[in-house]
Short mmCIF file of all heavy atoms in Angstrom, two decimals:
data_model
loop_
_atom_site.label_atom_id
_atom_site.label_comp_id
_atom_site.label_asym_id
_atom_site.label_seq_id
_atom_site.Cartn_x
_atom_site.Cartn_y
_atom_site.Cartn_z
N GLU A 194 2.64 246.76 117.33
CA GLU A 194 2.92 246.66 118.77
C GLU A 194 2.23 245.44 119.38
O GLU A 194 2.85 244.67 120.12
CB GLU A 194 2.45 247.93 119.47
CG GLU A 194 2.66 247.91 120.98
CD GLU A 194 2.11 249.15 121.66
OE1 GLU A 194 1.67 250.09 120.96
OE2 GLU A 194 2.09 249.17 122.91
N TRP A 195 0.97 245.23 119.06
CA TRP A 195 0.22 244.12 119.64
C TRP A 195 0.73 242.76 119.16
O TRP A 195 0.65 241.78 119.90
CB TRP A 195 -1.26 244.26 119.29
CG TRP A 195 -1.91 245.51 119.78
CD1 TRP A 195 -1.44 246.36 120.75
CD2 TRP A 195 -3.14 246.09 119.31
NE1 TRP A 195 -2.29 247.42 120.92
CE2 TRP A 195 -3.35 247.28 120.06
CE3 TRP A 195 -4.08 245.71 118.36
CZ2 TRP A 195 -4.47 248.08 119.87
CZ3 TRP A 195 -5.19 246.52 118.16
CH2 TRP A 195 -5.38 247.69 118.91
N SER A 196 1.24 242.70 117.94
CA SER A 196 1.60 241.41 117.35
C SER A 196 2.70 240.70 118.12
O SER A 196 2.80 239.48 118.09
CB SER A 196 2.03 241.60 115.90
OG SER A 196 3.25 242.33 115.81
N GLY A 197 3.52 241.46 118.84
CA GLY A 197 4.60 240.85 119.61
C GLY A 197 4.11 239.92 120.70
O GLY A 197 4.85 239.05 121.16
N ALA A 198 2.84 240.07 121.11
CA ALA A 198 2.29 239.19 122.14
C ALA A 198 2.03 237.78 121.61
O ALA A 198 1.88 236.85 122.40
CB ALA A 198 1.00 239.78 122.69
N LEU A 199 1.99 237.63 120.29
CA LEU A 199 1.67 236.33 119.70
C LEU A 199 2.90 235.54 119.30
O LEU A 199 2.86 234.30 119.24
CB LEU A 199 0.78 236.52 118.47
CG LEU A 199 -0.60 237.11 118.71
CD1 LEU A 199 -1.30 237.39 117.39
CD2 LEU A 199 -1.44 236.17 119.56
N GLY A 200 4.00 236.21 118.99
CA GLY A 200 5.18 235.50 118.55
C GLY A 200 6.28 236.45 118.12
O GLY A 200 6.06 237.65 117.95
N SER A 201 7.47 235.89 117.93
CA SER A 201 8.65 236.71 117.70
C SER A 201 8.67 237.39 116.35
O SER A 201 9.10 238.54 116.24
CB SER A 201 9.90 235.84 117.86
OG SER A 201 9.99 235.31 119.17
N ASP A 202 8.25 236.70 115.29
CA ASP A 202 8.44 237.28 113.96
C ASP A 202 7.14 237.69 113.28
O ASP A 202 7.13 238.01 112.10
CB ASP A 202 9.22 236.31 113.05
CG ASP A 202 8.58 234.95 112.94
OD1 ASP A 202 7.51 234.74 113.54
OD2 ASP A 202 9.15 234.08 112.26
N ILE A 203 6.03 237.70 114.03
CA ILE A 203 4.76 238.14 113.44
C ILE A 203 4.84 239.61 113.03
O ILE A 203 4.30 240.02 112.00
CB ILE A 203 3.60 237.90 114.43
CG1 ILE A 203 3.44 236.39 114.67
CG2 ILE A 203 2.30 238.50 113.92
CD1 ILE A 203 2.44 236.04 115.73
N THR A 204 5.57 240.39 113.83
CA THR A 204 5.76 241.81 113.52
C THR A 204 6.28 242.01 112.10
O THR A 204 5.87 242.94 111.40
CB THR A 204 6.75 242.42 114.53
OG1 THR A 204 6.21 242.30 115.85
CG2 THR A 204 7.02 243.88 114.24
N PHE A 205 7.18 241.12 111.67
CA PHE A 205 7.78 241.28 110.35
C PHE A 205 6.74 241.30 109.24
O PHE A 205 6.87 242.04 108.26
CB PHE A 205 8.78 240.15 110.09
CG PHE A 205 9.20 240.07 108.64
CD1 PHE A 205 10.03 241.03 108.10
CD2 PHE A 205 8.72 239.07 107.82
CE1 PHE A 205 10.40 240.98 106.75
CE2 PHE A 205 9.07 239.01 106.50
CZ PHE A 205 9.91 239.96 105.94
N PHE A 206 5.70 240.49 109.37
CA PHE A 206 4.72 240.37 108.30
C PHE A 206 3.79 241.58 108.21
O PHE A 206 2.91 241.63 107.35
CB PHE A 206 3.93 239.08 108.46
CG PHE A 206 4.77 237.86 108.18
CD1 PHE A 206 5.30 237.12 109.22
CD2 PHE A 206 5.05 237.47 106.88
CE1 PHE A 206 6.09 236.00 108.97
CE2 PHE A 206 5.84 236.37 106.62
CZ PHE A 206 6.37 235.63 107.67
N LEU A 207 3.99 242.55 109.09
CA LEU A 207 3.30 243.84 108.98
C LEU A 207 4.26 244.92 108.50
O LEU A 207 3.96 246.10 108.60
CB LEU A 207 2.69 244.21 110.33
CG LEU A 207 1.59 243.27 110.82
CD1 LEU A 207 1.28 243.53 112.30
CD2 LEU A 207 0.32 243.42 109.99
N SER A 208 5.42 244.49 107.97
CA SER A 208 6.44 245.43 107.52
C SER A 208 6.35 245.62 106.02
O SER A 208 5.42 245.17 105.36
CB SER A 208 7.83 244.90 107.91
OG SER A 208 8.23 243.86 107.02
N ARG A 209 7.38 246.22 105.44
CA ARG A 209 7.43 246.49 104.00
C ARG A 209 7.89 245.27 103.20
O ARG A 209 7.85 245.29 101.98
CB ARG A 209 8.35 247.67 103.72
CG ARG A 209 7.84 248.99 104.25
CD ARG A 209 8.88 250.09 104.08
NE ARG A 209 9.32 250.19 102.69
CZ ARG A 209 10.37 250.90 102.31
NH1 ARG A 209 11.10 251.53 103.21
NH2 ARG A 209 10.70 250.96 101.03
N GLY A 210 8.38 244.23 103.88
CA GLY A 210 8.74 243.01 103.16
C GLY A 210 10.19 242.62 103.25
O GLY A 210 10.54 241.48 102.96
N THR A 211 11.06 243.55 103.63
CA THR A 211 12.47 243.25 103.86
C THR A 211 12.88 243.97 105.13
O THR A 211 12.64 245.17 105.26
CB THR A 211 13.36 243.73 102.70
OG1 THR A 211 12.84 243.24 101.46
CG2 THR A 211 14.79 243.23 102.86
N ALA A 212 13.50 243.26 106.07
CA ALA A 212 13.85 243.89 107.33
C ALA A 212 15.02 243.18 107.99
O ALA A 212 15.15 241.95 107.91
CB ALA A 212 12.66 243.90 108.28
N TYR A 213 15.87 243.97 108.64
CA TYR A 213 16.92 243.44 109.50
C TYR A 213 16.31 243.31 110.89
O TYR A 213 15.81 244.28 111.46
CB TYR A 213 18.11 244.40 109.53
CG TYR A 213 19.22 243.98 110.48
CD1 TYR A 213 19.94 242.81 110.28
CD2 TYR A 213 19.54 244.77 111.59
CE1 TYR A 213 20.96 242.43 111.14
CE2 TYR A 213 20.55 244.41 112.45
CZ TYR A 213 21.26 243.24 112.23
OH TYR A 213 22.25 242.86 113.10
N CYS A 214 16.32 242.09 111.42
CA CYS A 214 15.61 241.80 112.67
C CYS A 214 16.58 241.36 113.75
O CYS A 214 17.49 240.55 113.51
CB CYS A 214 14.56 240.71 112.44
SG CYS A 214 13.27 241.21 111.27
N THR A 215 16.38 241.89 114.95
CA THR A 215 17.19 241.53 116.11
C THR A 215 16.27 241.21 117.28
O THR A 215 15.05 241.12 117.12
CB THR A 215 18.15 242.68 116.47
OG1 THR A 215 17.39 243.89 116.67
CG2 THR A 215 19.17 242.92 115.36
N GLY A 216 16.84 241.06 118.49
CA GLY A 216 16.06 240.59 119.63
C GLY A 216 15.62 239.17 119.37
O GLY A 216 16.41 238.33 118.92
N ARG A 217 14.36 238.87 119.65
CA ARG A 217 13.80 237.56 119.32
C ARG A 217 13.42 237.47 117.85
O ARG A 217 12.97 236.42 117.38
CB ARG A 217 12.54 237.28 120.15
CG ARG A 217 12.74 237.19 121.64
CD ARG A 217 11.41 236.91 122.33
NE ARG A 217 10.40 237.91 121.97
CZ ARG A 217 9.10 237.76 122.17
NH1 ARG A 217 8.63 236.64 122.70
NH2 ARG A 217 8.25 238.71 121.85
N GLY A 218 13.54 238.60 117.16
CA GLY A 218 13.05 238.73 115.80
C GLY A 218 12.01 239.82 115.70
O GLY A 218 11.58 240.19 114.61
N GLU A 219 11.61 240.37 116.87
CA GLU A 219 10.54 241.36 116.90
C GLU A 219 11.04 242.79 116.76
O GLU A 219 10.25 243.71 116.53
CB GLU A 219 9.73 241.21 118.20
CG GLU A 219 10.28 241.90 119.43
CD GLU A 219 11.48 241.23 120.08
OE1 GLU A 219 12.00 240.25 119.50
OE2 GLU A 219 11.91 241.67 121.16
N ILE A 220 12.36 243.01 116.89
CA ILE A 220 12.92 244.35 116.71
C ILE A 220 13.31 244.47 115.25
O ILE A 220 14.21 243.78 114.76
CB ILE A 220 14.13 244.57 117.63
CG1 ILE A 220 13.73 244.36 119.10
CG2 ILE A 220 14.70 245.97 117.44
CD1 ILE A 220 14.90 244.38 120.06
N MET A 221 12.66 245.36 114.53
CA MET A 221 12.67 245.32 113.08
C MET A 221 13.11 246.66 112.51
O MET A 221 12.61 247.71 112.89
CB MET A 221 11.25 244.98 112.61
CG MET A 221 11.07 244.83 111.14
SD MET A 221 9.34 244.35 110.82
CE MET A 221 8.47 245.80 111.45
N THR A 222 14.08 246.60 111.60
CA THR A 222 14.52 247.78 110.87
C THR A 222 14.28 247.55 109.39
O THR A 222 14.99 246.76 108.76
CB THR A 222 16.01 248.07 111.12
OG1 THR A 222 16.25 248.22 112.51
CG2 THR A 222 16.43 249.35 110.40
N PRO A 223 13.26 248.18 108.79
CA PRO A 223 13.01 247.99 107.36
C PRO A 223 14.20 248.47 106.52
O PRO A 223 14.81 249.50 106.82
CB PRO A 223 11.77 248.85 107.09
CG PRO A 223 11.12 249.00 108.44
CD PRO A 223 12.25 249.05 109.42
N ILE A 224 14.54 247.72 105.49
CA ILE A 224 15.61 248.10 104.59
C ILE A 224 15.16 247.84 103.15
O ILE A 224 14.15 247.19 102.91
CB ILE A 224 16.92 247.32 104.87
CG1 ILE A 224 16.72 245.83 104.59
CG2 ILE A 224 17.39 247.55 106.30
CD1 ILE A 224 18.02 245.05 104.63
N ASP A 225 15.93 248.35 102.20
CA ASP A 225 15.67 248.05 100.80
C ASP A 225 16.03 246.59 100.53
O ASP A 225 17.00 246.07 101.08
CB ASP A 225 16.48 248.97 99.90
CG ASP A 225 16.03 250.42 99.98
OD1 ASP A 225 14.83 250.64 100.28
OD2 ASP A 225 16.87 251.31 99.77
N PRO A 226 15.29 245.91 99.66
CA PRO A 226 15.58 244.51 99.38
C PRO A 226 16.94 244.35 98.72
O PRO A 226 17.29 245.12 97.81
CB PRO A 226 14.45 244.08 98.44
CG PRO A 226 13.93 245.34 97.85
CD PRO A 226 14.12 246.40 98.89
N PRO A 227 17.73 243.37 99.16
CA PRO A 227 19.06 243.17 98.57
C PRO A 227 19.01 242.47 97.23
O PRO A 227 20.01 242.46 96.50
CB PRO A 227 19.77 242.29 99.61
CG PRO A 227 18.66 241.52 100.24
CD PRO A 227 17.48 242.45 100.28
N LEU A 228 17.88 241.86 96.89
CA LEU A 228 17.72 241.19 95.61
C LEU A 228 16.87 242.05 94.69
O LEU A 228 15.95 242.73 95.13
CB LEU A 228 17.06 239.82 95.81
CG LEU A 228 17.80 238.83 96.71
CD1 LEU A 228 16.97 237.57 96.90
CD2 LEU A 228 19.15 238.48 96.10
N PRO A 229 17.14 242.02 93.40
CA PRO A 229 16.36 242.84 92.48
C PRO A 229 14.94 242.34 92.34
O PRO A 229 14.65 241.15 92.54
CB PRO A 229 17.13 242.69 91.15
CG PRO A 229 17.84 241.39 91.27
CD PRO A 229 18.21 241.26 92.72
N SER A 230 14.04 243.24 92.00
CA SER A 230 12.66 242.87 91.76
C SER A 230 12.59 241.81 90.67
O SER A 230 13.23 241.92 89.63
CB SER A 230 11.86 244.10 91.34
OG SER A 230 10.56 243.75 90.97
N GLY A 231 11.81 240.75 90.92
CA GLY A 231 11.67 239.68 89.95
C GLY A 231 12.71 238.59 90.05
O GLY A 231 12.70 237.66 89.24
N ALA A 232 13.61 238.68 91.03
CA ALA A 232 14.62 237.64 91.21
C ALA A 232 13.96 236.30 91.49
O ALA A 232 12.97 236.23 92.19
CB ALA A 232 15.58 238.01 92.34
N LYS A 233 14.51 235.24 90.95
CA LYS A 233 13.98 233.89 91.14
C LYS A 233 14.69 233.20 92.30
O LYS A 233 15.91 233.35 92.45
CB LYS A 233 14.13 233.05 89.88
CG LYS A 233 13.49 233.66 88.63
CD LYS A 233 11.99 233.77 88.78
CE LYS A 233 11.37 234.32 87.50
NZ LYS A 233 9.90 234.45 87.60
N LEU A 234 13.92 232.48 93.11
CA LEU A 234 14.48 231.77 94.25
C LEU A 234 14.06 230.33 94.20
O LEU A 234 12.94 230.00 93.79
CB LEU A 234 14.00 232.39 95.57
CG LEU A 234 14.36 233.85 95.84
CD1 LEU A 234 13.67 234.31 97.11
CD2 LEU A 234 15.87 234.01 95.97
N SER A 235 14.92 229.45 94.66
CA SER A 235 14.58 228.05 94.89
C SER A 235 14.75 227.77 96.37
O SER A 235 15.80 228.03 96.93
CB SER A 235 15.47 227.11 94.08
OG SER A 235 15.27 227.29 92.70
N ILE A 236 13.67 227.27 97.00
CA ILE A 236 13.72 226.96 98.43
C ILE A 236 13.78 225.46 98.57
O ILE A 236 12.88 224.74 98.13
CB ILE A 236 12.49 227.53 99.16
CG1 ILE A 236 12.45 229.05 98.99
CG2 ILE A 236 12.52 227.16 100.64
CD1 ILE A 236 11.20 229.69 99.56
N VAL A 237 14.84 224.96 99.18
CA VAL A 237 15.07 223.52 99.32
C VAL A 237 15.05 223.16 100.80
O VAL A 237 15.72 223.79 101.60
CB VAL A 237 16.41 223.10 98.70
CG1 VAL A 237 16.61 221.59 98.86
CG2 VAL A 237 16.47 223.49 97.23
N LYS A 238 14.23 222.18 101.15
CA LYS A 238 14.15 221.75 102.55
C LYS A 238 14.59 220.29 102.63
O LYS A 238 14.12 219.45 101.90
CB LYS A 238 12.72 221.89 103.08
CG LYS A 238 12.61 221.53 104.55
CD LYS A 238 11.20 221.74 105.05
CE LYS A 238 11.08 221.55 106.55
NZ LYS A 238 11.42 220.17 106.97
#
Side-chain angles (χ1 to χ4, degrees):
E194 178 184 353
W195 300 343
S196 67
L199 295 173
S201 299
D202 56 1
I203 296 173
T204 299
F205 167 72
F206 291 100
L207 296 166
S208 77
R209 293 173 55 192
T211 309
Y213 176 64
C214 297
T215 55
R217 297 180 305 164
E219 84 285 6
I220 302 173
M221 183 177 63
T222 303
I224 65 170
D225 292 332
L228 300 175
S230 173
K233 303 297 183 180
L234 299 174
S235 295
I236 300 174
V237 181
K238 183 177 187 298

